[in-house]
Amino acid sequence: MATASVQHDFDLPVDVLWDLVGEFGNMSKWTGLPPETCISDGEDIGAIRTLSLPNGTIIDRLDAKSEHSYSYSIVNMAEAPLPFSSYKARLAVRPISESRSRLDWAGDFTPDQLTEAETVEFAQNMYRRGLDMMIRAAANL
């Protein structure tokens, strides 16, 4: 199993950052993509979200959640346009101070189609692209 992660400190209180990035079934708040690209079935543990991407579909299941974090896994690896045979991730925010917070996003996965190093680089780039979208969205708050 391989791992990739990103971390970033935001000049936002933890509740404001979590409102932006923490809704499992609504990624449009920070991606800028239309809401129909992320459809959710349910809100609690076991909820399913379907991400429609230009190169395929990813179906995630919400595995756990707390006040400022959630973990999820991809349930349709055969159809996902990703070089993994398994994938689990966690998104969390925590306070640094009253006005600052830190976002951590990490995933564990089993490489498929690429070498482990190439797969880690792929995942790291995927997280960086997502984090860049979060940073842009946060700057507009």
Side-chain angles (χ1 to χ4, degrees):
M1 187 150 297
T3 300
S5 64
V6 292
Q7 184 179 74
H8 186 76
D9 294 348
F10 288 83
D11 290 324
L12 295 172
V14 69
D15 288 333
V16 174
L17 180 57
W18 188 247
D19 183 59
L20 176 66
V21 302
E23 192 176 343
F24 176 74
N26 184 5
M27 295 170 61
S28 66
K29 286 183 176 181
W30 58 269
T31 63
L33 297 172
E36 59 270 14
T37 62
C38 178
I39 304 296
S40 183
D41 182 13
E43 296 178 15
D44 292 317
I45 294 172
I48 299 291
R49 73 177 175 198
T50 302
L51 307 174
S52 298
L53 306 172
N55 60 340
T57 300
I58 297 174
I59 299 176
D60 294 326
R61 178 185 56 239
L62 181 62
D63 295 327
K65 69 178 184 175
S66 66
E67 184 179 12
H68 294 117
S69 71
Y70 65 77
S71 60
Y72 61 99
S73 55
I74 295 177
V75 297
N76 72 329
M77 291 310 307
E79 297 177 27
L82 302 169
F84 315 132
S85 62
S86 69
Y87 177 86
K88 294 181 181 218
R90 180 173 185 269
L91 181 75
V93 298
R94 58 190 159 103
I96 297 172
S97 68
E98 283 188 27
S99 62
R100 298 195 73 213
S101 51
R102 176 169 294 145
L103 179 134
D104 293 296
W105 192 7
D108 298 316
F109 44 88
T110 303
D112 185 36
Q113 305 167 25
L114 303 173
T115 67
E116 183 168 331
E118 291 168 330
T119 306
V120 169
E121 183 179 352
F122 177 93
Q124 199 70 35
N125 288 334
M126 178 177 71
Y127 290 142
R128 282 189 194 114
R129 283 190 305 273
L131 182 59
D132 286 346
M133 287 186 263
M134 293 173 186
I135 292 168
R136 281 193 300 276
N140 292 322
L141 294 180

